[in-house]
Amino acid sequence: MTNDNNKNKRSLTSRILIGMFTGILCGFLIRTFLSGNEIVDAYIVNGLFDVGGKIFIASLKMLVIPLVFVSLVCGTSSLKDITTLGRLGGKTLAFYIGTTALAISLALVMGIFFQPGSGADLTSATTFSTAEAPSLGQVIVGMFPSNPMAAMSQGNTLQVIVFAVLFGIAISLAGEAGQRVSNFFSDVNAVIMKLVTILMEVAPYGIFFLMAKLFTGLGLDAIANLAAYFLVLVAALLIHAFITYSVLLKVLSGLNPLIFWKKMKDAIMFAFSTASSNATIPVTMETATHRMGVSNKIASFTVPLGATINMDGTAIMQGVATAFIAQAFNVDLTLGDYMTVILTATLASVGTAGVPGVGLIMLAMVLNQVGLPLEGIALIMGVDRLLDMIRTAVNITGDSVVTCIVAKSENELDLDTFNNPKAGEIKLDLKHKA
Ligand code: ASP
């Protein structure tokens, strides 16, 4: 076997890992040895890296709306019985809200126990102004599109989900005409999934550019001052991800968590590098359907919905941040206040769009609710980007866990695919299919 052949055999996961680590290393090296060099800044960092990274993110986002719409139309139109949809929706929502409430409770317990904010230096706090967080009523009304084309062009995932579900139901009720439309959508779906695999093939380069650009500018000095906050938050995220999710998966669906984690690697790295659950939807969907064996019927509904409303990682950040800010400003929160935090952070995470940095803005909603100063947000802003990357990875892992549990309970998960380590590995064949 030649060397060339071996090179082609390197798995996508290891190529993404290489892209990620060389990108981080490159960013650090430039920051350490070449910072201030105008040529490097202009042509490499703000030229090549910036352009490459932006093209990558744009191409991922390009796929989100067509993929969500088409696959959800396929999923809903293939439902034999509309009542299934109600059961599916209820179950999914209950799991999404339940896991988020669990996440935030864990975060609060850790925040209270480890006291990351006691003795924090407040002098560095600058004022922080934030946009008004929307109310729950606004979030619900906002789910219904008055113009589906506008919803698509604005990338409003929730509105597109609602329209696609209604459209799919109508297809399933429209007899022969519906069948023809449904066949057409299944073909389009296959083509879009192919596009996802093509994009995943070039992803290692995109991830390299993203990481290299980010780490040339990422100030990590702030981490030293906020070490306690940072560590407690990362620990809470890891415990929720590795312990809560593994236990839920095993107990509620009997699936092997180790296999689950192995198959999640690519999606996790995408979420980490993009810090956007939304941009990661194509990869999460591909992982759930092709690697884990979840039927498109379930995944097309649970994955985009989860990426939009289920943010366990974000809720954990909000819990630890609330405890931290209360301690730093010497405000005593009562048990009632903590209950309010659990409720509002769960709602806030529903209202948080899956894009970088929004979790911090939604934190304002939680702080307001218990009368904590919004300036506290400025305190933790300096370390938020790195934490955003980690919590986004947790967010999409939560979506995938619930997707597997719901699919298994509905008999819509193919165990052979799930248990086969090689299932769904991306292999791109650029030859025409006859
Ligand atoms: N970046 C997160 C996500 O896309 C949201 C947040 O917490 O800011 O899932």
Side-chain angles (χ1 to χ4, degrees):
M1 199 172 283
T2 64
N3 256 347
D4 243 25
N5 265 341
N6 279 335
K7 222 185 278 164
N8 290 339
K9 286 231 171 82
R10 191 171 279 153
S11 75
L12 180 68
T13 308
S14 51
R15 292 199 300 123
I16 294 179
L17 257 180
I18 293 172
M20 200 159 97
F21 282 109
T22 45
I24 293 176
L25 187 71
C26 208
F28 263 126
L29 291 178
I30 292 181
R31 190 183 155 80
T32 320
F33 298 110
L34 292 168
S35 77
N37 182 318
E38 277 169 24
I39 296 190
V40 173
D41 267 359
Y43 293 103
I44 310 243
V45 179
N46 293 312
L48 183 69
F49 293 170
D50 192 39
V51 171
K54 282 190 174 140
I55 292 178
F56 174 60
I57 295 272
S59 342
L60 273 174
K61 286 197 188 151
M62 165 185 89
L63 291 177
V64 172
I65 293 296
L67 177 66
V68 169
F69 182 66
V70 173
S71 66
L72 198 47
V73 166
C74 288
T76 333
S77 62
S78 64
L79 290 176
K80 296 274 168 303
D81 175 4
I82 306 298
T83 50
T84 318
L85 197 67
R87 194 183 57 231
L88 192 65
K91 218 188 265 186
T92 310
L93 273 181
F95 274 119
Y96 279 157
I97 293 177
T99 46
T100 306
L102 253 172
I104 167 110
S105 311
L106 169 75
L108 282 177
V109 168
M110 290 188 61
I112 296 167
F113 186 75
F114 291 106
Q115 299 273 321
S118 54
D121 173 19
L122 290 183
T123 49
S124 61
T126 48
T127 39
F128 179 83
S129 59
T130 151
E132 202 45 39
S135 70
L136 179 65
Q138 277 169 312
V139 172
I140 295 177
V141 173
M143 284 168 53
F144 292 85
S146 56
N147 177 348
M149 295 303 151
M152 290 185 195
S153 70
Q154 287 156 6
N156 187 325
T157 320
L158 270 187
Q159 292 191 348
V160 173
I161 291 177
V162 170
F163 180 61
V165 168
L166 294 176
F167 197 78
I169 293 177
I171 289 180
S172 72
L173 297 176
E176 245 177 64
Q179 191 53 51
R180 284 194 296 273
V181 179
S182 165
N183 292 345
F184 168 74
F185 270 96
S186 314
D187 287 349
V188 180
N189 196 34
V191 174
I192 294 183
M193 281 320 267
K194 192 69 187 172
L195 207 52
V196 175
T197 48
I198 295 176
L199 191 66
M200 285 180 76
E201 271 294 317
V202 295
Y205 304 99
I207 288 179
F208 167 83
F209 291 135
L210 274 182
M211 292 295 95
K213 165 86 177 47
L214 183 72
F215 278 81
T216 39
L218 198 68
L220 294 177
D221 323 338
I223 291 184
N225 297 333
L226 291 167
Y229 166 72
F230 192 89
L231 290 178
V232 172
L233 180 43
V234 171
L237 287 169
L238 294 180
I239 291 177
H240 187 68
F242 288 112
I243 300 182
T244 316
Y245 288 154
S246 302
V247 170
L248 285 179
L249 203 63
K250 186 80 204 157
V251 172
L252 296 176
S253 67
L255 296 170
N256 183 338
L258 278 180
I259 301 182
F260 172 85
W261 282 107
K262 273 197 196 127
K263 297 198 169 189
M264 277 305 290
K265 275 188 288 196
D266 292 347
I268 285 178
M269 284 190 284
F270 266 76
F272 182 82
S273 339
T274 59
S276 166
S277 310
N278 211 36
T280 312
I281 289 177
V283 189
T284 319
M285 195 93 110
E286 155 83 33
T287 307
T289 49
H290 292 151
R291 304 225 59 198
M292 313 238 190
V294 174
S295 76
N296 181 54
K297 226 183 272 180
I298 305 286
S300 66
F301 177 68
T302 55
V303 169
L305 186 69
T308 319
I309 69 161
N310 182 47
M311 310 261 166
D312 294 359
T314 303
I316 290 180
M317 176 279 280
Q318 291 173 341
V320 175
T322 308
F324 172 79
I325 290 167
Q327 290 150 11
F329 285 90
N330 270 324
V331 180
D332 277 331
L333 295 180
T334 61
L335 189 64
D337 287 335
Y338 285 119
M339 290 314 215
T340 313
V341 171
I342 296 182
L343 196 70
T344 16
T346 306
L347 292 180
S349 93
V350 171
T352 305
V355 288
V358 208
L360 205 61
I361 296 171
M362 297 304 276
L363 177 60
M365 185 169 157
V366 182
L367 297 183
N368 258 337
Q369 219 42 242
V370 283
L372 285 171
L374 297 189
E375 284 71 26
I377 296 180
L379 212 61
I380 51 177
M381 217 158 38
V383 289
D384 196 62
R385 175 64 206 207
L386 199 57
L387 293 168
D388 193 7
M389 296 159 80
I390 307 174
R391 70 176 181 256
T392 306
V394 175
N395 287 345
I396 63 121
T397 307
D399 304 341
S400 307
V401 167
V402 172
T403 296
C404 285
I405 294 176
V406 171
K408 181 79 193 337
S409 75
E410 292 281 320
N411 257 332
E412 293 283 348
L413 184 138
D414 180 33
L415 269 180
D416 290 339
T417 309
F418 185 90
N419 290 325
N420 175 1
K422 294 254 173 274
E425 273 187 348
I426 304 260
K427 278 191 205 77
L428 190 65
D429 184 359
L430 288 177
K431 287 195 211 87
H432 282 298
K433 290 259 177 327

